[in-house]
């Protein structure tokens, strides 16, 4: 139970430190998109008996609402806010975001509140890359990322 709450608290502290509140009116949709995508993936993964979540507090698509509105939401908003303009940097951004999310997932597995049944870390990495690629597409297609004056330039 506590890992879900702790992950939410840590995520919101990082979010508070890094978020640009003036950009939230657009970038919040990156967080909403990420929650929707993660909810679909996690619900499907559990329906297929690929993995299981335990000690769920307030269930949302079979997972804790603290996880969905903690790490998932905050990572989606921050990823959208700091999306680079360069396609090459977007690829690097997708890989870094995927690896960071995988690290968090491994920690969740090690705490015992989630278990891989018919799943593997490499499969998660591929799904994470696909999810961050979809979020990049969503943010660029719907112009959610901050304008050129607010993004990293290289």
């Amino acid at each position: 139970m506590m890992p879900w709450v702790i992950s939410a608290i840590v995520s919101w502290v990082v979010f508070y430190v890094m978020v640009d509140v003036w950009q939230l009116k657009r970038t919040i949709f990156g967080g909403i998109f990420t929650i929707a995508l993660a909810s679909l993936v996690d619900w499907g993964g559990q329906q297929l008996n690929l993995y299981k979540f335990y000690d769920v507090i307030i269930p949302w698509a079979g997972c804790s609402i603290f996880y969905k509105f903690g790490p998932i939401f905050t990572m989606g908003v921050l990823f959208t806010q700091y999306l680079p303009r360069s396609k090459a940097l977007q690829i690097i951004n997708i890989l870094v975001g995927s690896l960071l999310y995988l690290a968090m997932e491994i920690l969740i597995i090690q705490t015992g509140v989630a278990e891989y049944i018919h799943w593997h870390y490499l499969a998660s990495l591929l799904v994470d890359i696909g999810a961050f690629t979809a979020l990049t597409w969503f943010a660029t297609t719907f112009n959610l990322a901050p304008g050129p004056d607010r993004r990293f330039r290289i």
Side-chain angles (χ1 to χ4, degrees):
M1 177 167 85
M2 285 307 289
W4 301 124
V5 175
I6 291 169
S7 67
I9 291 169
V10 169
S11 297
W12 278 97
V13 168
V14 170
F15 183 79
Y16 179 76
V17 169
M18 296 187 67
V19 73
D20 179 353
V21 293
W22 301 107
Q23 298 300 321
L24 273 177
K25 64 183 175 270
R26 288 194 329 233
T27 60
I28 196 168
F29 293 106
I32 294 167
F33 177 81
T34 306
I35 287 174
L37 187 59
S39 297
L40 181 65
V41 168
D42 286 340
W43 176 81
Q46 290 181 87
Q47 293 298 310
L48 294 170
N49 201 34
L50 300 175
Y51 47 84
K52 177 103 175 102
F53 297 113
Y54 301 105
D55 299 330
V56 174
I57 308 167
I58 310 172
W60 177 290
C63 188
S64 174
I65 199 166
F66 286 95
Y67 191 66
K68 296 297 181 200
F69 287 89
I72 303 292
F73 175 77
T74 58
M75 190 174 259
V77 172
L78 290 174
F79 186 88
T80 303
Q81 281 196 357
Y82 291 101
L83 190 64
R85 290 187 311 180
S86 160
K87 296 293 182 193
L89 288 178
Q90 286 178 3
I91 292 169
I92 293 169
N93 203 41
I94 289 166
L95 292 175
V96 169
S98 298
L99 289 170
L100 287 172
Y101 186 79
L102 181 63
M104 183 182 56
E105 188 177 318
I106 290 169
L107 288 173
I108 291 292
I109 295 289
Q110 289 179 346
T111 64
V113 294
E115 172 190 21
Y116 286 162
I117 299 168
H118 301 291
W119 198 243
H120 192 273
Y121 296 114
L122 292 177
S124 279
L125 179 60
L126 290 175
V127 169
D128 296 344
I129 289 170
F132 281 105
T133 300
L135 179 55
T136 299
W137 171 85
F138 181 77
T140 55
T141 300
F142 293 99
N143 200 26
L144 300 179
D149 58 323
R150 304 291 295 178
R151 294 189 200 168
F152 293 119
R153 291 186 186 151
I154 293 183

